[in-house]
Amino acid sequence: QVPLVESGGDSVQAGGSLSLSCRASGSTYRACMAWFRQAPGKEREGVASIDGEEIGRTRYADSVKGRFTITLDNAKQTLYLQMNNLSPEDTALYYCAAKRGICWLPSLSASAYDSWGHGTQVTVSS
């Protein structure tokens, strides 16, 4: 497993932007990594995922395409999520997730990951 620590959550107004970070303890090169979110009363939802070895391979939930961007800096062992044009529907606890090994397919399914951070809160007001 990979210890993960998220940061960057905050309260913003609708239309604003935030950048989340997730620092991993250990290599992120050969791994699948992802961002998930969970709003109160809702299931955990995959937001974006990335292949640590081929960082051009990404996947996004339809609800965030064109607004969110996932990136990975392997040298810094840090995963990022740039979130633009935020709406109240984006309010949630955002988690970083990782699965070491060859990333055959960046997944948005929680069952594909075995390492999780504790989350960072994003609140968007209208």
Side-chain angles (χ1 to χ4, degrees):
Q1 294 190 338
V2 184
L4 302 167
V5 179
E6 305 96 334
S7 63
D10 205 344
S11 297
V12 297
Q13 290 195 327
S17 297
L18 276 177
S19 180
L20 305 183
S21 299
C22 171
R23 180 73 163 85
S25 296
S27 175
T28 55
Y29 178 69
R30 185 154 286 181
C32 284
M33 299 197 71
W35 287 99
F36 286 78
R37 67 185 181 186
Q38 188 165 18
K42 294 188 177 181
E43 293 187 357
R44 191 169 295 193
E45 171 192 22
V47 174
S49 58
I50 189 167
D51 179 348
E53 194 166 358
E54 296 186 36
I55 58 175
R57 293 181 68 212
T58 58
R59 190 172 178 185
Y60 293 92
D62 288 343
S63 58
V64 306
K65 280 180 182 175
R67 300 188 300 122
F68 290 12
T69 303
I70 188 171
T71 56
L72 177 63
D73 187 331
N74 280 317
K76 295 182 179 179
Q77 300 172 350
T78 302
L79 181 72
Y80 302 95
L81 185 68
Q82 177 64 40
M83 305 184 293
N84 298 327
N85 193 22
L86 286 161
S87 72
E89 289 70 34
D90 296 314
T91 295
L93 190 61
Y94 282 71
Y95 296 91
C96 174
K99 171 69 175 179
R100 280 223 173 102
I102 295 174
C103 187
W104 299 108
L105 177 67
S107 175
L108 295 179
S109 172
S111 62
Y113 299 88
D114 59 5
S115 298
W116 294 86
H118 292 294
T120 186
Q121 179 66 38
V122 172
T123 302
V124 185
S125 58
S126 57

